[in-house]
Amino acid sequence: MVTSTEAPALWRDAERCYRVVTARDSRFDGQFIMAVRTTGIYCRPSCPASTPKERNVRFFPTSAAAQANGFRACRRCLPDAVPGSPDWNVRADLAARAMRLISDGTVEREGVPGLARRLGYSERQLGRVLTAELGAGPLALARAHRAHSARLLIEMSGLPLTDVAFAAGFSSVRQFNETIREVFATTPSQLRAFAASRRRHDVSGTRLSLRLPFRPPFDAVGLLRFFAAHALPGVEEVTSTSYARTLRLAHGTGVVRLTPSSDHVRCELTLTDLRDLGSAVSRVRRLLDLDADPAAVTRVLGADPALAPAVAAAPGIRVPGTVDGEELMLRALPEVPLPPGEEVPGEWGVTRLFPTAAQIAATGHPVAEALASGQLDVHVGRDAAELRAELLECPGIDAGTADYVVMRVLGAPDVLLTGDPAIRRGAEALGIPPDSLPVRARAWTPWCSYAGMYLRRAAKDC
């Protein structure tokens, strides 16, 4: 059995709440309110303002409780909505899920109606939510995303600027030029000239070489070991220094090779359609968990005497994500028949795509049939609780598999797979009774997913 270890009444544990506040992790907005005695202001855990000293903060379950104790709402993080209310779900959760889908290119492929459909909201309601939370509607946010995709193509490719405009999803060169000037305060030509003056990458046709930054430390060895243990021949290729795989993208296919170094990951991409560049980069960052805050994880997990040696031995551990929710779902199940996927031009030892859900559904597998029909929808824009409940309704998916999928597809940071044999073996190796993991994990909140990776490593499973 897989257990999510989010402790009840988190706001009552000041130490754990302060850990979340120091990490400014928006995934914990809604679980408690932080109030600052010296300013008389209350905030969300993710408030971008300077973190107050621990002795100066109090924690409450709701904004109403903070107000009743004489505190007023922060004007920066706008914490007024009550957890569980439509306003709170709109501001703290829907906006984040929408942005993940926008960065994956959903608006360009399916328009605002498609984005709203995937999120389960009307277009009008979605527009109100994003404007209130992020200051812009879905079209404006997608336009900004196109601008950043265009910048990658301007700086990292030799494409004519006219081709860059349409590859990035702009409807006209004029719109492209105006957007670049507005967003970056310069022209496309000036961006390219500046990039050429300090270029450190190679450009060849549709092959790009990018530098993906991360917050150090970064446990590249652990990630490569994990990928090697689960690699699918033809689809993935792992060496001692790199990981390569094929990508199924909205406008075509791609092949990526990732080579970690001391301060960045070198990302070599070959794409059949350059419009997929932004989506490919977003997926790779999620795959490698490059946006994690290792310092926050270390502060919490390193304080546990049983885990401390493992944390010290492998600083910067990451929780592997996925480049495709449907693929991860099907690979998480035992004995799923895998017909050969579509062949792609060979590159870095990989030659074919992972088969589609429709191809696997032809074998009669029920989960593949649910995915192919749209009855089950596994993507980065899902709400974690709703996705988990939907997974558990499918035949052949138990709670353990559902939590595993939620953890890797959505990047959920606080899930401990207490029934996983490898995690239980790792706990034993570190002197932790496996049956005590649900209770022990309360001290690891909000980073139980990372604790699970350390336990796997202790079991020598990744």
Side-chain angles (χ1 to χ4, degrees), residues 126-150:
L126 178 62
R128 288 201 307 266
V129 168
L130 295 182
T131 300
E133 177 69 9
L134 304 175
L139 286 176
L141 293 169
R143 177 171 172 258
H145 177 257
R146 285 196 298 271
H148 288 283
S149 295

Side-chain angles (χ1 to χ4, degrees), residues 221-231 320 404 408 453 456 462:
V221 172
L223 275 176
L224 292 174
R225 188 181 295 132
F226 182 92
F227 292 141
H230 300 84
Y404 178 79
R408 292 194 59 190
M453 293 305 297
R456 281 182 177 276
C462 66

